[in-house]
Amino acid sequence: MVTFTHADTGTSESDWARSGVAALPELPLNASELATMTFIVLAAHPDDETLGAGGFLAQLHAAGAHIRILLCTAGEASHPQSPTTTPEELAAVRLTEFDAAVSGLAPGATWKFLELPDGQLAANADRIAEALRDAIAASGSAAENVAIVAPYRSDGHTDHDTLGATAAEVAAGGGHSLLEYPIWYWLWARPDDESWRSWVRVPLTKPERAAKATAMRAHASQTEPLSPQPGDETLLSGTFLEHFARPWETFVWHPSTAGSNSAKDAERIFDEVHSREDDPWSYTSSWYERRKRALTLAALPEESYESGLELGCSIGTLSEELAKRCRTFLGVDASGTALVEARRRLADYPSAEARHLTMPHEWPEGTFDLVALSETGYYLSPEELTELYGRIQASTRPGGTLILCHWRHPISGWQLDAEAVHSMARTQLRWPTHGLYREKDFVLEVLLAPGGEPGGAPDGAPDGAT
């Protein structure tokens, strides 16, 4: 359990600025996509909506999205020692401030006050879930067109955590998108915490930033002292507010799972894609793809391998390069159409082949000292990926190399993303990380199976053998 108070100095914004948070990938929804969606925004207290998602609300309004806000409490417990203002008086003030802030950010939004007690949302989770489901039903939108925006479920404040967890439960049950916004996390967490590395950014325009700043000033009971007397001090310090003056906002993004796909769906979908185009992802012509492929090959810790396996080899562009470094090589893919080209590319390598298998239920025999999983893991369900890693663990020789490389942006229609794929590998396999490289668009990681001697030649081969 995180312990902190609003008076703590916490992590400075300059520390966060040096962390690389500004290089997080952007939320992959453009204005035209936003305009077709309904956003149900949850706030535990007046000002949460502005701090965590004020600029995004302004952006949604500009795009023409439908916005409904559920305010759970009036924040009447923010100054429990105030000698000048009762909780009832403070509640009235904060509701007025909330109305002014929301009216400035998203004039077309509607909002409802749930009248729950400040600090006691954990005891009212069922009422919140019911109100949230009612708001979704009233929108009339299809499940995949509804996004819930709520506080981060591990923000460290009991009301925020409860609201985030409740939103996550409703989103998962209904197949809706979920965006979680952190607030107190920026105070108590440190940049070496790994949580934020899987999040996304929403860049803000100057007008959106200005609207957020104006809305924040509307919450004067929190940004200014209630009076000069002890107990009426400013709740949100200037150094804390620096975290929310960034030219972007940050969210934990969970895409809609309505109509989510699995391995068998991938087989059908990719066959259709490859039937329309020979190289649908521009593997051969794109500088991004060629550069990423070169980095992947350079990250391999061994010059040569005895037996290599590529899972999801597609048309074989990476397969061809891996085959050059393996005595024997097997590329597998669910798309029979893509494998026609992969086999052509591997024709010059007598010990290499491409085989039609739908992972993880179908699996090749034998063991391997190199396994490559590139741009494939997120096309599986979480259960299928768990099974896949079990297969990899059983089929990889001691000291063998597992290399993972995945696009960091959410993949529409699928449950997983790059960070989830890599995190599941670390958690399930518990293999040491040999190398890790991240940039805005992809993450590249090398894990080594325990029990071998890194840097040695393949089993049965003299040093330097190829």
Side-chain angles (χ1 to χ4, degrees), residues 309-364:
L309 169 67
E310 184 185 2
L311 305 172
C313 66
S314 187
I315 62 173
T317 48
L318 179 61
S319 304
E320 185 176 9
E321 299 299 328
L322 292 175
K324 297 174 183 177
R325 294 173 63 169
C326 298
R327 279 186 170 181
T328 63
F329 176 82
L330 172 63
V332 303
D333 201 273
S335 170
T337 306
L339 286 171
V340 172
E341 177 62 16
R343 290 179 179 124
R344 187 193 66 78
R345 289 179 178 279
L346 294 175
D348 292 335
Y349 304 91
S351 297
E353 65 171 313
R355 192 182 304 170
H356 184 268
L357 295 176
T358 301
M359 305 171 298
H361 314 305
E362 298 176 322
W363 196 257

Side-chain angles (χ1 to χ4, degrees), residues 195-244:
S195 301
W196 63 269
R197 296 186 180 277
S198 62
W199 300 352
V200 298
R201 289 181 307 117
V202 172
L204 304 178
T205 64
K206 287 184 178 180
E208 290 160 358
R209 294 174 64 190
K212 179 173 181 174
T214 300
M216 203 62 238
R217 288 192 294 272
H219 292 288
S221 68
Q222 307 301 293
T223 60
E224 300 174 11
L226 296 179
S227 82
Q229 298 188 44
D232 278 352
E233 295 87 358
T234 299
L235 188 73
L236 304 179
S237 69
T239 53
F240 177 69
L241 291 174
E242 287 178 2
H243 301 311
F244 307 96

